[in-house]
């Protein structure tokens, strides 16, 4: 039996790609006064921490910035992201996810959340998605500003579960984060299908949503 399961959230347990794009466009338009071509700019920023996107937007238009300004725009974007989810009733787990989490709970298999989101979003996820039914919020690894990559975050998750990462399973959607999970030592990955899902031996299943998962992977 697997010793632990690592779950990404955005794009994995929350199909929020459209919400992210809508609220990022609003933010980049506001930063640049509509002078940045958002579609070409944002192509390069999948699974990238907020402050990097915002710093690069400022650099692109030669606009000086301070840490306080970056923090302001991070909060600006994420405030709108959370409100959009609430206003449009977009606060549900994807098909089959609850059943998978219930199964892991019934088997006493530890789970942990590994998200590049900021603490305000983590609070939002736990409140609106009832994540405390399965996850320990105090164990959750999120963007505190101390991690340089998702690889470091996955390594921290393994420490918090007191296992080696190769003894667990990672659920991810982003090709970049999948490769960083492998860099961290992951040997078993379930990928949520994307156009750019990599073909690597560590990916054991590729699924559209959790209804397609073969539970034998947990054996």
């Amino acid at each position: 039996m697997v010793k632990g399961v690592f779950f990404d959230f955005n794009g994995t347990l929350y199909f929020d790609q459209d919400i992210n794009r809508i609220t990022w466009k609003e933010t980049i338009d506001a930063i640049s006064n509509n002078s940045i071509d958002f579609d070409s700019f944002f192509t390069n920023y999948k699974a990238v921490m907020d402050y990097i996107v915002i710093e690069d937007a400022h650099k692109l238009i030669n606009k000086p910035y301070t840490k306080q300004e970056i923090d302001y725009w991070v909060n600006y974007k994420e405030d709108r992201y959370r409100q959009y989810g609430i206003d449009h009733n977009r606060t549900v787990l994807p098909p089959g996810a609850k059943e998978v989490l219930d199964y892991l709970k019934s088997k006493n298999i530890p789970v942990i959340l590994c998200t590049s989101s900021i603490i305000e979003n983590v609070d939002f996820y736990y409140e609106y998605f009832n994540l405390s039914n399965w996850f320990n919020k105090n164990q959750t690894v999120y963007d505190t500003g101390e991690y340089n990559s998702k690889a470091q975050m996955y390594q921290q998750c393994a420490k918090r579960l007191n296992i080696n990462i190769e003894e667990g399973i990672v659920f991810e959607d982003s090709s970049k984060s999948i490769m960083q999970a492998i860099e961290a030592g992951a040997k078993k990955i379930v990928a949520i299908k994307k156009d750019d899902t990599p073909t690597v031996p560590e990916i054991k299943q590729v699924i559209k949503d959790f209804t397609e998962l073969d539970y034998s992977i947990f054996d």
Side-chain angles (χ1 to χ4, degrees), residues 93-124:
L93 298 173
K98 182 180 181 297
E99 289 75 11
V100 171
L101 292 168
D102 284 344
Y103 172 82
L104 294 170
K105 186 175 182 178
S106 74
K107 297 295 184 180
N108 295 313
I109 299 173
V111 298
I112 191 167
L113 205 60
C114 185
T115 173
S116 297
S117 293
I118 60 175
I119 185 58
E120 290 83 358
N121 283 7
V122 172
D123 291 340
F124 165 70

Side-chain angles (χ1 to χ4, degrees), residues 60-216:
L60 186 63
I61 58 174
N62 297 313
K63 186 176 182 179
Y65 60 87
T66 64
K67 182 183 184 302
Q68 289 74 20
E69 287 171 318
I70 298 303
D71 290 343
Y72 168 83
W73 287 112
V74 167
N75 289 320
Y76 178 99
K77 186 269 175 182
E78 298 303 349
D79 282 346
R80 281 150 180 77
Y81 165 87
R82 293 189 297 272
Q83 196 58 51
Y84 188 100
I86 294 167
D87 291 346
H88 294 81
N89 296 316
R90 295 285 300 278
T91 54
V92 294
L93 298 173
K98 182 180 181 297
E99 289 75 11
V100 171
L101 292 168
D102 284 344
Y103 172 82
L104 294 170
K105 186 175 182 178
S106 74
K107 297 295 184 180
N108 295 313
I109 299 173
V111 298
I112 191 167
L113 205 60
C114 185
T115 173
S116 297
S117 293
I118 60 175
I119 185 58
E120 290 83 358
N121 283 7
V122 172
D123 291 340
F124 165 70
Y125 301 147
Y126 271 86
E127 178 179 357
Y128 283 87
F129 292 81
N130 298 315
L131 294 185
S132 294
N133 287 337
W134 309 283
F135 297 95
N136 180 343
K137 187 177 180 181
N138 292 329
Q139 283 190 322
T140 295
V141 175
Y142 58 90
D143 180 15
T144 60
E146 63 186 299
Y147 303 107
N148 294 321
S149 70
K150 199 74 181 281
Q152 291 182 355
M153 299 177 83
Y154 276 118
Q155 289 167 343
Q156 181 63 28
C157 283
K159 288 180 183 177
R160 292 187 181 183
L161 289 186
N162 196 29
I163 65 171
N164 294 320
I165 191 169
E166 59 265 26
E167 298 174 309
I169 297 173
V170 171
F171 282 79
E172 259 290 357
D173 72 303
S174 157
S175 60
K176 180 177 180 179
S177 294
I178 286 169
M179 299 311 294
Q180 290 188 345
I182 293 169
E183 178 188 336
K187 302 298 183 186
K188 271 189 176 182
I189 297 172
V190 177
I192 305 299
K193 187 175 183 180
K194 296 288 187 295
D195 291 340
D196 62 347
T197 299
T199 303
V200 290
E202 289 84 0
I203 294 180
K204 305 306 180 184
Q205 294 185 38
V206 179
I207 58 175
K208 176 189 69 178
D209 60 42
F210 291 87
T211 63
E212 296 184 347
L213 182 68
D214 179 353
Y215 282 45
S216 66

